Amino acid sequence: MKTQLPELLLSLLCATLLFHLQPIPAVGEPEPNGTTNAIDFIRTSCGTTLYPDICYTSLSRYANAIQQNPARLAKVAMSVSLAKAKRMAAYVSNISRQADYGADPRASAALHDCFTNFGDAVDEIRGSLKQMRQLSGGAGAESFSFQMSNVQTWMSAALTDEDTCTDGFQDVSDGSVKTDVCDRVARAKKFTSNALAFVNSYAAKGTP
């Protein structure tokens, strides 16, 4: 029996060590299955938009925040759209200053108009997002409908302003600047279009 005691102690020591080495889940950490359900919800929701691939790629990273909540999905999509619009406005502002010293006054004018359009789009998306964040669960159907109508109007206006940006380039000679701006605008519009789709879907629910 004496020869078995050290072996018993060694076994107990190893068991204790393995217990303490086991990872302890963080408090409030979402269950893996919950994350999977959120990912599936985002994928399915994105399938209803005009640009499902770019929708899923841009929103799936926020699965923990979105979960399976249509309001959160719309707000996150709007936030992503706002970030893209801000980045586009900054880009156009930068190259428009360079174009002021160029030989094509039409390109310069088109860039300045584009910057104005995207500035308006940024304001409209920001206003829409602010209105969405002020929606309360206790709001009546009539109040909800009115507030969501404002959100839809502003998001639609933002998409129109982004689209208008490229109108001024119709009379501009083809070149790298025109191509680059139009391509970037087309991509930014996709994010806004997807966000508007989620806003419209959420508004159709009729209640928060």
Side-chain angles (χ1 to χ4, degrees):
M1 292 294 292
K2 290 182 180 180
T3 57
Q4 294 178 354
L5 186 58
E7 294 180 4
L8 179 61
L9 290 173
L10 182 61
S11 297
L12 288 171
L13 179 62
C14 289
T16 302
L17 182 61
L18 285 172
F19 173 79
H20 286 292
L21 287 176
Q22 290 298 315
I24 301 173
V27 176
E29 185 176 304
E31 291 293 326
N33 191 46
T35 302
T36 300
N37 291 339
I39 289 289
D40 289 341
F41 170 70
I42 293 169
R43 182 183 288 108
T44 301
S45 300
C46 284
T48 66
T49 68
L50 292 176
Y51 311 101
D53 292 339
I54 202 172
C55 173
Y56 178 74
T57 302
S58 64
L59 299 181
S60 57
R61 69 190 68 177
Y62 302 107
N64 285 340
I66 294 171
Q67 291 300 312
Q68 299 178 68
N69 188 308
R72 290 181 185 177
L73 176 66
K75 284 184 278 191
V76 170
M78 292 162 71
S79 295
V80 171
S81 172
L82 177 60
K84 300 297 182 183
K86 283 181 176 179
R87 188 175 303 172
M88 188 66 202
Y91 171 75
V92 174
S93 174
N94 182 51
I95 62 172
S96 67
R97 287 194 293 269
Q98 300 173 21
D100 287 341
Y101 300 98
D104 189 348
R106 287 177 299 183
S108 177
L111 286 168
H112 282 286
D113 287 344
C114 183
F115 172 69
T116 300
N117 290 139
F118 263 89
D120 290 341
V122 166
D123 289 341
E124 286 151 355
I125 298 171
R126 186 185 287 120
S128 299
L129 193 52
K130 181 179 180 181
Q131 182 78 82
M132 278 288 290
R133 286 171 175 163
Q134 290 175 345
L135 287 172
S136 62
E142 186 175 343
S143 175
F144 175 79
S145 241
F146 173 73
Q147 293 177 74
M148 286 307 300
S149 175
N150 288 336
V151 175
Q152 289 174 290
T153 298
W154 293 332
M155 287 300 296
S156 296
L159 187 58
T160 299
D161 280 325
E162 291 176 356
D163 190 49
T164 303
C165 164
T166 54
D167 289 349
F169 286 92
Q170 292 179 359
D171 296 326
V172 176
S173 301
D174 292 340
S176 59
V177 172
K178 178 179 178 178
T179 300
D180 188 46
V181 170
C182 290
D183 286 347
R184 287 171 182 262
V185 169
R187 181 172 174 79
K189 282 164 51 182
K190 291 178 181 180
F191 292 99
T192 306
S193 171
N194 287 341
L196 177 58
F198 292 139
V199 165
N200 289 338
S201 176
Y202 183 58
K205 288 168 58 68
T207 55

